[in-house]
């Protein structure tokens, strides 16, 4: 997939990602592809977090000037969308014999992608995805739930993805040793006494908390 100057049309890179933008008929071939740019940006984020991703840093990874990066993407927002698509990768085949077994497979496969690329939890969605791989993940779960005609697979996928994102963010904070301030626990206990125990609770195993949340969701679906 050959890159073209994005210019004022900010979604050009996304159209290239989907394969709906034709390549150039003439002119020199671009040195890098959209996939190359996304992969280098993912590497920057994996090492230094999402805040370390700038067009200048990605340009340095590619060995080009910052201005040259604008041939591929015209903003960090578009670049992050490309990064999420690359980091999410293709969803794995689900082999569970039941819909709930397949759902659990899907959740933990997605959680594994967030574990490999913790910065993904810092990307806040602002609407439906615009990249092919996130749609592929949604479709995979929709198909996995096909024998549950009473379920809206897309809604379930978005619900579960939100839980994975939330608990991945918690896990990221635990890894960074972001301990709450002592005063905060005291303030919570004073103002919200029914939640006082939360300040002393051991949240060290974020995956166990995610597992609990998923089981609650599946239990509710089964009961319904």
């Amino acid at each position: 997939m050959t890159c073209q100057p994005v210019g004022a049309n900010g979604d050009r890179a996304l159209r290239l990602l989907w394969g709906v933008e034709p390549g150039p008929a003439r002119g020199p071939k671009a040195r890098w592809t959209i996939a190359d740019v996304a992969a280098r940006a993912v590497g920057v984020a994996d090492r230094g977090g999402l805040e370390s991703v700038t067009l200048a840093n990605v340009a340095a990874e590619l060995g080009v000037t910052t201005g040259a990066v604008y041939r591929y993407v015209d903003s960090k927002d578009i670049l992050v969308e490309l990064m999420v698509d690359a980091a999410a990768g293709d969803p794995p085949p689900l082999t569970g014999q039941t819909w709930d077994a397949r759902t659990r497979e899907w959740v933990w496969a997605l959680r594994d992608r967030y574990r490999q690329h913790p910065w993904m939890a810092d990307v806040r969605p602002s609407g439906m995805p615009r990249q092919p791989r996130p749609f592929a993940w949604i479709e995979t779960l929709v198909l996995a739930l096909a024998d549950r005609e009473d379920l809206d697979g897309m809604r379930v996928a978005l619900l579960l993805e939100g839980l994975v994102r939330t608990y991945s963010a918690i896990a990221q904070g635990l890894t960074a040793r972001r301990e709450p301030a002592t005063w905060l626990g005291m303030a919570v206990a004073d103002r919200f006494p029914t939640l006082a125990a939360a300040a002393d609770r051991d949240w060290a195993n974020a995956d166990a908390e995610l597992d609990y949340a998923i089981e609650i969701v599946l239990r509710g679906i089964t009961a319904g």
Side-chain angles (χ1 to χ4, degrees), residues 2-52:
T2 303
C3 282
Q4 286 301 295
V6 177
N9 195 350
D11 68 353
R12 183 78 181 272
L14 293 173
R15 288 186 282 128
L16 283 166
L17 186 65
W18 281 92
V20 299
E21 181 75 13
R26 300 177 182 176
K29 183 178 180 180
R31 179 180 176 186
W32 303 105
T33 66
I34 285 290
D36 294 328
V37 175
R40 296 301 180 92
V42 166
V44 172
D46 287 347
R47 294 190 299 272
L50 190 61
E51 65 276 6
S52 69

Side-chain angles (χ1 to χ4, degrees), residues 70-167:
Y70 286 94
R71 293 196 63 197
Y72 305 90
V73 294
D74 70 345
S75 71
K76 180 177 176 177
D77 288 343
I78 293 293
L79 177 59
V80 170
E81 290 191 77
L82 300 179
M83 291 166 58
V84 168
D85 187 80
D90 296 321
L94 304 179
T95 59
Q97 296 300 305
T98 61
W99 68 269
D100 52 326
R102 293 190 293 271
T103 300
R104 290 186 185 92
E105 282 186 70
W106 186 91
V107 166
W108 292 109
L110 185 60
R111 171 66 182 102
D112 188 58
R113 300 300 169 88
Y114 275 81
R115 185 178 291 106
Q116 294 175 40
H117 308 288
W119 54 268
M120 290 177 67
D122 294 328
V123 179
R124 299 293 177 248
S126 58
M128 285 297 292
R130 301 197 297 170
Q131 316 97 306
R133 280 169 166 158
F135 271 104
W137 277 88
I138 293 173
E139 182 187 57
T140 296
L141 187 57
V142 169
L143 293 175
L145 297 174
D147 54 353
R148 286 294 305 261
E149 296 181 358
D150 57 324
L151 294 179
D152 185 323
M154 178 170 284
R155 286 177 171 171
V156 174
L158 293 175
L159 169 62
L160 296 178
E161 194 276 338
L163 288 175
V164 172
R165 181 188 304 276
T166 296
Y167 285 97

Side-chain angles (χ1 to χ4, degrees), residues 179-192 195-196 199:
E179 296 292 336
T182 302
W183 67 263
L184 179 58
M186 297 174 62
V188 170
D190 182 60
R191 187 173 299 186
F192 308 104
L195 301 179

